[in-house]
Every structure is written in structure tokens, then in C-alpha cells.
């Protein structure tokens, strides 16, 4: 079941979503990379940080969403980054057979949408030049109420038949990624961080998840059922993430991996 992304909804909490990207790329010890690629670049606002860090590099942002790429191409980031539509599972650098031509390969909050992404790691590592860097970050909060409430509600009638095929994100723990990349001959630094995002506004946690993890479920629902699903989803989220006047606190665990390719 396919779904589309809304760049503007995704950017509602751009600062909070961007912090893990910054924490990830600060651990990449590349000095003068020539080719830098952001796989799953979204609206491109974070890819621009790669161009700012390595201004002499050719920086490319790749995303499978035409909506996201259009947003990126129309943004200020397009002045320093080339954006293109591509699937993480199939993308290869232009003019390359796909082997070892990228100096820094970054993927931020993307691999969790590919159920087989652990098996995809050898192909991604193979895109990187020996001595180059492969770094990615994925959410690790799928046991939190922001996800479990959606799953529980989606399993109830009358919603269940409509959302059975909707995409659901998932990831592994840091140790699993570390060992998988060590098996590929990489030097690996893997860690996790839990951020405490303080969100403001009406139903802020719903606003957050409706732009990412819950979006495929919401889009899968027919128009006559979506309003009741959203209303109940919001109610349960307000109970799980109460706002005492200082904002709702959303704990968000992230898994980080930075690998040096041999």
C-alpha cells in the first residue's frame, strides 16, 4: 500500500527532527570528501548542512518521494545541493556502476521504512569508497505510546481491514547494526540517545506522528473513517503525553551508527 509525504507537515518540528542529524554528522571524521550523498533527504533542509560542512564536495540529496524532492528543489538548499528522486534500495551514483565512489554516505531517519534494511547494508557499504564513511540514524522508539497506541487503535474495528497493508516503521538495536557492519569489515561507532522533546500547541504529539510514523495508517483509512480514528487517536495521545501547561514531553530514542569503510 503506497502513501505520500507532506513536506510542510514534516517540517512542523524541523528543529527537533534536525537535532539527531547534527549529532550524527559531527561524528563523521571526513576531512576533504569529494562526493557526499544524503539518502532519504526529505525536504532537503538538513542536506544543506552537509554542503555547509564540506563546501568543496559535490553534495547530492536523494529521496523516493516526489513531493519531498520538489520541496527541496524549490528551497534555498538547492543552491548548494543537487536533488534527485531515487529509491534507497536501487540508487547508484550517476555515471557509476555503483561501486565505491561515494566518500560520505548519510541516511537519516529513512532505513526504518525498509523492513529488510539490515540485508541492505552490504549494498550501501559497497557504494562507499575505501576509507570513506557510512553514517545513519533510525528511530528506536517503537515501543513508546506514540506507536503502540496507533497500532492498538488500528487493530480495532472498523479500522483494521483498511490499514492492514499500511507501512509500519521498525529498527534494530545499536549492537545489531554494529556487528552487521563489523562483519562487512567496517570500523564502527554505534550509540543511542533519548531526546526529550517539549512540544507545544493543540495535540502536538499527534501533529508529530501524523507527519511521520502514523502517516501511512492515516492515509490508508477511507474518508468516512479517518475523522473518528484521528479523534480517538488524539484523545489517547493526550492521556499518554499530558501537557501541564509547560508543553507535552515526547521521549524519543534514536539509534546512531557511523562506520569507516575499509
Amino acid at each position: 500500500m503506497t502513501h505520500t509525504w507532506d513536506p510542510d507537515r514534516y517540517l512542523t518540528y524541523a528543529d527537533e527532527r534536525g537535532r539527531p542529524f547534527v549529532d550524527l554528522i559531527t561524528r563523521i571524521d571526513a576531512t576533504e570528501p569529494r562526493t557526499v550523498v544524503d539518502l532519504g533527504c526529505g525536504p532537503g533542509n538538513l542536506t544543506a548542512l552537509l554542503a555547509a560542512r564540506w563546501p568543496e564536495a559535490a553534495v547530492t540529496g536523494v529521496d523516493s518521494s516526489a513531493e519531498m524532492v520538489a520541496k527541496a528543489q524549490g528551497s534555498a538548499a538547492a543552491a548548494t545541493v543537487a536533488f534527485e528522486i531515487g529509491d534507497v534500495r536501487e540508487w547508484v551514483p550517476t555515471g557509476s556502476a555503483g561501486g565505491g565512489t561515494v566518500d560520505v554516505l548519510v541516511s537519516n531517519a529513512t532505513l526504518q521504512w525498509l523492513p529488510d534494511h539490515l540485508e541492505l547494508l552490504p549494498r550501501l557499504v559497497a557504494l562507499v569508497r575505501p576509507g570513506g564513511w557510512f553514517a545513519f540514524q533510525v528511530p528506536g522508539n517503537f515501543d513508546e505510546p506514540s506507536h503502540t497506541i496507533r497500532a492498538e487503535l488500528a487493530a480495532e474495528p472498523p479500522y483494521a481491514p483498511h490499514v492492514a497493508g499500511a507501512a509500519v516503521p521498525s529498527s534494530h538495536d545499536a549492537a545489531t547494526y554494529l556487528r552487521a557492519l563489523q562483519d562487512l569489515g567496517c570500523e564502527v561507532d554505534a550509540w543511542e540517545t533519548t531526546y526529550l522533546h517539549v512540544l507545544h500547541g493543540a495535540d502536538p504529539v499527534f501533529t508529530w506522528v501524523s507527519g511521520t510514523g502514523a502517516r501511512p495508517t492515516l492515509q490508508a483509512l477511507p474518508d468516512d473513517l479517518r475523522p473518528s480514528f484521528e479523534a480517538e487517536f488524539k484523545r489517547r495521545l493526550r492521556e499518554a503525553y499530558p501537557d501541564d501547561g509547560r508543553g507535552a514531553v515526547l521521549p524519543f530514542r534514536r539509534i546512531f551508527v557511523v562506520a569507516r569503510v575499509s
Side-chain angles (χ1 to χ4, degrees), residues 48-100:
L49 299 179
L50 300 176
R53 178 169 179 188
W54 296 295
E56 301 303 316
V59 181
T60 302
V62 182
D63 203 283
S64 62
S65 167
E67 295 82 5
M68 287 292 197
V69 171
K71 182 74 171 182
Q73 290 174 334
S75 71
T80 54
V81 179
F83 293 102
E84 61 185 64
I85 296 175
D87 191 311
V88 172
R89 293 163 292 195
E90 301 172 355
W91 180 86
V92 294
T94 302
S96 165

Side-chain angles (χ1 to χ4, degrees), residues 233-249:
F233 193 14
K234 290 176 181 178
R235 186 191 69 79
R236 297 186 191 186
L237 288 173
R238 285 195 297 269
E239 289 186 354
Y241 301 96
D243 184 349
D244 65 358
R246 294 174 291 178
V249 178

